[in-house]
Every structure is written in C-alpha cells, then in structure tokens.
Amino acid sequence: MTCLKVLRFPNPILRQGLPLTTVFDEALKTAADDLFESLYAAKGWGLAATQVGLTQRLFVLDMGPENSEPLCMVNPIITTKETPVLSDEDCLSFPGVHMTLERARDITVEYQDLTGAKQTYQATGVTACGIQHLIDLLNGVLIIDSLSKLKRDRLLKQYKKFIASGGHMHSHDHVHGPNCNHEHEHHHVHDHVHGPDCNHDHEHHHVHDHVHGPHCHHEHEEELEHA
C-alpha cells in the first residue's frame, strides 16, 4: 500500500468530477488500499479519490466503530434523502477550517463494491453526512460552494491564515476522530442525532435537528442533563 499526498484547495484537480468506473481489476483494489492507507495516515474520517489525484470514482470512509464499519464505495449514487439536519464538517483538503452545512440525516446509497457487484446501503447520522460530503468531492463540489460570499470569504481568510502559519493545528483546531487518543468524556452527546424516536427532552432545544460534530460550538450543558 502507498500513502498518497492529500491535495489541498485550490488545487484544480479537486474541481474535476470523476466519470463512472467501468473496470474492476487489481488496479482498483490497489487504489482502495492506498486510499485507506492515506486516510489513516492523515487521521481523517473519509477520503475521496479526487483528493489524492486518483481517477477511479470511489471513496473510503471510517467514522469509527461506534458509527459504522469502514466503507469503500465505487460509483455511489444517493437514491433517497430524508430529514434535513445541520452537519458540522471539516475536510482534509481544507485543513484548519470547519463549517456547518445542511445535509440529509437518513440516506440510501446504491454503489458497486470492488468486484463490481451492486450493493445498497442505508446510512444515518454522521455516516450519512460523511457519505454526502465524499460524493460531493467525487463530483468536484467543495464544502465552500454552498456558502454565501461573506461566509466563503471569511472561511478562505481563515484557511489562508492556517496555511501561512505552516499548516500546524492549534489545540482548538484538532479534528477528533476514531484514531484520536484525547480524553472526550462529557462530550458523547455531540455524536447523538436527535430523531423522532428519541426520548430526550427537547424543550427550548431546536438543535435536535443538528448533527453535533467535533467542532460544534453550541452550548450543551443543559442537554447533558438529559443525555
């Protein structure tokens, strides 16, 4: 396996959407292995082929065992979307920044595995949001594209400052993921997706439509009492 360099914005390759993969051979399996190797080396949660300059239309995803098993999807297509939520997201191609985007909490994905066999996968919560993020990348769509000009300019200023500093994350920029060894006690509620079957008390908490991520700045003290 080879650890590939993750491309950063504004590399033009990130804007090149990938065509459907039609050849399912050893080269494709090698590409998947290299993507996983690169993902874990970067301590990320997901990586699309476009982010490392590969031309096969696939991504890999590992949100940690508490969310889903590691996934590899070739030619993924979302066939159903339900329940809009706000998702706190970061991106390996935009290090040092994060933002909140609207995603669907529940999705159905049709894709092919590495042998070419057709598969169907139902995802929810952070896994569903991650899949939507990665499919956007396969289409050449970046997380800044849905932002207003004001928010985009503010984020790009933050990004340029991060790059100018040498690309070293400060403690508040740390991306908590499945490979992180930091102590996260008292913060498990950030990963909870409040839904129609949830028994938590949501009075005065419109954030129940929010997928809490590692960079969420919402106040959670009262929610912890109900968790």
Side-chain angles (χ1 to χ4, degrees):
M1 291 185 289
T2 302
C3 183
L4 305 173
K5 180 180 179 180
V6 177
L7 305 179
R8 292 182 174 184
F9 178 85
N11 192 305
I13 292 177
L14 295 171
R15 288 295 189 184
Q16 297 175 5
L18 296 177
L20 293 177
T21 290
T22 58
V23 178
F24 295 81
D25 55 7
E26 287 301 316
L28 182 64
K29 295 178 181 178
T30 298
D33 288 340
D34 291 347
L35 274 176
F36 272 117
E37 181 77 5
S38 305
L39 171 66
Y40 295 136
K43 294 181 171 59
W45 53 263
L47 195 61
T50 46
Q51 292 179 276
V52 291
L54 296 176
T55 57
Q56 296 97 328
R57 188 176 176 85
L58 79 159
F59 69 72
V60 296
L61 175 73
D62 189 347
M63 303 295 290
E66 68 277 12
N67 292 301
S68 66
E69 72 278 12
L71 298 171
C72 177
M73 295 188 177
V74 184
N75 300 329
I77 299 175
I78 296 175
T79 57
T80 66
K81 292 183 178 182
E82 296 180 359
T83 315
V85 293
L86 296 178
S87 171
D88 294 313
E89 299 184 12
D90 49 52
C91 182
L92 289 174
S93 293
F94 266 99
V97 298
H98 67 277
M99 64 198 69
T100 300
L101 302 177
E102 184 175 295
R103 300 287 190 189
R105 188 193 65 186
D106 305 297
I107 63 173
T108 301
V109 188
E110 293 183 357
Y111 69 99
Q112 291 169 276
D113 61 24
L114 294 174
T115 69
K118 294 183 178 180
Q119 307 287 347
T120 300
Y121 186 84
Q122 292 183 328
T124 189
V126 293
T127 300
C129 293
I131 290 173
Q132 292 167 80
H133 178 114
L134 293 167
I135 291 178
D136 277 351
L137 286 167
L138 292 178
N139 292 330
V141 176
L142 304 180
I143 53 177
I144 62 172
D145 291 351
S146 62
L147 300 179
S148 66
K149 184 180 185 303
L150 178 63
K151 290 183 178 180
R152 186 185 302 115
D153 290 346
R154 184 186 306 156
L155 182 141
L156 290 177
K157 182 178 180 181
Q158 179 184 353
Y159 175 66
K160 290 177 181 178
K161 182 178 179 181
F162 175 81
I163 297 301
S165 70
H168 300 295
M169 286 189 174
H170 302 293
S171 59
H172 62 275
D173 292 322
H174 177 71
V175 179
H176 300 294
N179 299 315
C180 174
N181 296 319
H182 288 188
E183 186 61 56
H184 300 298
E185 60 181 8
H186 308 308
H187 294 286
H188 300 296
V189 70
H190 293 190
D191 297 321
H192 178 73
V193 181
H194 300 291
D197 299 320
C198 175
N199 295 321
H200 290 186
D201 186 356
H202 299 301
E203 288 186 1
H204 311 299
H205 292 290
H206 300 292
V207 73
H208 63 273
D209 288 330
H210 181 83
V211 178
H212 301 295
H215 300 296
C216 179
H217 301 301
H218 290 185
E219 185 61 59
H220 301 296
E221 291 181 359
E222 293 185 14
E223 286 191 34
L224 286 172
E225 296 176 1
H226 301 295

